[in-house]
């Protein structure tokens, strides 16, 4: 009888121990400006060991979307890791005009900290202080009593800082000097291993080799011809292969690497070095490495979604993912790491490309739009009442409106009527309408989730589908339409079964899902809706 009781207790204890088990390392990958469609369009030219390995052996959410506007880089990274939207976490753009302070601000600006490393003084004045909620990485630090390491890396400061959260050991980002830097928020000096990495100047071999097509020309039949009118200029260079990166580097600086696929390669080299030198995944306490690949965004903005350059960037990123997975298998061990891959937003088609193919849309130059808006105000009210226009937000000069004895509500409605007369504008929502949102209007619901009443404008503008506020070449993003919201979501590794879901999911489900998977607390701003498909044993 005693043996039976002991066996029952032992089994219960064993099951409890198993339920508390966590992976040795979590790797979060964000690919900047990656539409889910790229995994379909470029599939024939991917290897079996990169994106296809994640898709074939992991769990794929085919219908993952952002659930707010504006769909930009900083809000995207913040939303992925906090499990909530800009209305709660407070990162309402990459940079924005703040209603409360009446000042322009950048998402990670922090003048109280200084650059550490070989960067310019301004490049390192960054921290997560503007992020108002905790991240899943923060909650892991708390759950492990700060024993688990958290490190964030990216070419962009915001891509490194926001995912790593408030309690990170380090966040590292790329300087135009070619070095990775950080700020005194994290420490007084860079780790020795990073100084060594920087001293080796890993960026220079990429600069010296230049950029040519990875594969034969015929493989790029998913893209437009090499030189086309929808492509912009890469730092003054004609958008034609091959690119002489050494020449561009000599004319500018090492920042040129950002706008090539080799920025991603350099970041992967740093990730592999960080895993080795920081002993990530080497003990029983879970660590977390966040990686944000930014070159895809730079190339997309400049050269557009139909360029050979963008396709080549993704084919090379496929190889980079493959090498990273091989390194993780070797250093951490298969089955010991949990990896996810997603994107911070998608991207629109070039509007003039669509127009030339008989879809009646075009691009809108923001400076021209604002100029017309200010002229309308002066003609109608006798003065310019436009305080600021940015991120689809219009701010009115309320002090001037009051001093002129004008009725604010009537002024707003007059602006709304004018805006709705513009070709590209579908709807305009006032701040009162946004705050009173009932949730019945899909688009106002997206806007409300991206709207912080203490920071955003007096009205928010929604353009019609297909229009973009951007130049004639390249592309942009920011809307609540599917081309900007539909992104990959791939889970792979520790306790992840193979599978696929076609149900509509939203990006804010990722962080609470990880919290449940790791059996730790939710980030404090999340609504805690989870992806049950990857939680099932």
């Amino acid at each position: 009888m005693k043996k039976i009781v002991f066996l029952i207790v032992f089994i219960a204890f064993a099951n409890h121990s198993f339920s508390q088990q966590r992976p040795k390392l979590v790797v979060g990958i964000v690919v900047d400006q990656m539409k889910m469609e790229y995994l379909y369009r470029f599939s024939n030219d991917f290897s079996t060991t990169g994106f296809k390995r994640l898709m074939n052996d992991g769990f794929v959410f085919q219908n993952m979307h952002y659930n707010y506007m504006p769909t930009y880089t900083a809000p995207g990274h913040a939303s992925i890791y906090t499990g909530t939207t800009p209305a709660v976490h407070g990162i309402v753009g990459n940079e924005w005009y703040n209603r409360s302070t009446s000042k322009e601000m950048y998402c990670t600006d922090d003048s109280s900290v200084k650059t550490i490393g070989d960067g310019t003084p301004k490049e390192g004045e960054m921290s997560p202080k503007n992020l108002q909620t905790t991240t899943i990485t923060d909650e892991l630090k708390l759950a492990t009593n700060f024993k688990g390491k958290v490190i964030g890396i990216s070419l962009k400061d915001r891509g490194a800082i926001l995912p790593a959260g408030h309690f990170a050991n380090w966040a590292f980002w790329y300087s135009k000097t070619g070095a990775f830097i950080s700020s005194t928020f994290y420490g007084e000096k860079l780790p020795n291993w990073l100084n060594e990495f920087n001293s080796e100047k890993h960026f220079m071999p990429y600069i010296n080799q230049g950029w040519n097509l990875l594969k034969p020309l015929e493989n790029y039949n998913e893209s437009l011809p090499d030189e086309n009118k929808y492509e912009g200029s890469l730092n003054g260079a004609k958008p034609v292969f091959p690119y002489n990166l050494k020449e561009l580097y000599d004319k500018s600086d090492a920042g040129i690497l950002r706008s090539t696929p080799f920025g991603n390669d350099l970041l992967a080299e740093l990730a592999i070095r960080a895993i080795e030198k920081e002993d990530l995944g080497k003990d029983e306490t879970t660590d977390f490495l966040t990686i944000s690949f930014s070159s895809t965004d730079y190339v997309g903005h400049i050269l557009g979604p139909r360029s050979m350059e963008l396709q080549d960037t993704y084919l090379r990123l496929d190889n980079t993912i493959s090498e990273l997975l091989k390194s993780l298998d070797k250093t951490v061990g298969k089955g010991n790491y949990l990896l996810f891959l997603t994107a911070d937003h998608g991207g629109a088609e070039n509007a003039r490309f669509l127009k030339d193919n008989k879809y009646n849309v075009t691009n809108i130059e923001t400076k021209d739009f604002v100029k017309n808006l200010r002229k309308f105000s002066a003609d109608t009210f006798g003065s310019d009442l436009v305080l600021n226009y940015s991120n689809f937000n219009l701010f009115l000069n309320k002090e001037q409106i009051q001093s002129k004895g004008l009725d604010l509500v009537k002024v707003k409605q007059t602006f709304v009527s004018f805006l709705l007369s513009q070709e590209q504008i579908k709807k305009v929502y006032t701040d009162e309408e946004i705050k009173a949102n009932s949730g019945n209007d899909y688009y106002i619901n997206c806007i409300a989730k991206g709207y912080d009443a203490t920071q955003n404008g007096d009205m928010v503008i929604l353009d019609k589908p297909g229009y973009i506020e951007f130049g004639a070449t390249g592309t942009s993003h920011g809307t609540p339409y599917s081309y900007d919201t539909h992104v990959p979501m791939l889970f792979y590794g520790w306790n992840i079964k193979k599978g696929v879901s076609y149900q509509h999911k939203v990006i804010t489900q990722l962080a609470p899902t990880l919290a449940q998977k790791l059996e730790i607390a939710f980030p404090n701003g999340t609504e805690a809706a989870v992806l049950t498909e990857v939680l099932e044993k």
Side-chain angles (χ1 to χ4, degrees), residues 479-536:
T479 76
Y481 299 121
S482 61
Y483 48 79
D484 285 339
T485 67
H486 189 197
V487 295
M489 178 58 73
L490 316 177
F491 281 86
Y492 176 85
W494 178 82
N495 278 1
I496 297 296
K497 65 179 183 179
K498 293 168 60 173
V500 61
S501 169
Y502 295 95
Q503 292 184 338
H504 180 268
K505 306 291 182 180
V506 294
I507 200 69
T508 49
Q509 292 176 278
L510 172 56
T513 300
L514 288 175
Q516 294 274 268
K517 195 81 176 169
L518 300 175
E519 297 187 340
I520 63 177
F522 291 125
N524 61 16
T526 185
E527 295 177 1
V530 298
L531 303 167
T532 57
E533 294 89 340
V534 293
L535 295 177
E536 296 166 0

Side-chain angles (χ1 to χ4, degrees), residues 133-169:
T133 62
T134 63
T135 59
I136 185 62
T137 46
D138 286 331
E139 297 301 337
L140 180 64
K141 293 290 286 188
L142 292 171
T144 61
N145 201 21
F146 290 83
K147 294 176 184 176
K149 286 186 177 180
V150 170
I151 295 176
I153 63 171
S154 178
L155 298 184
K156 295 181 179 180
D157 46 49
R158 55 188 181 267
I161 292 168
L162 296 171
H166 301 275
F167 306 139
N169 297 79

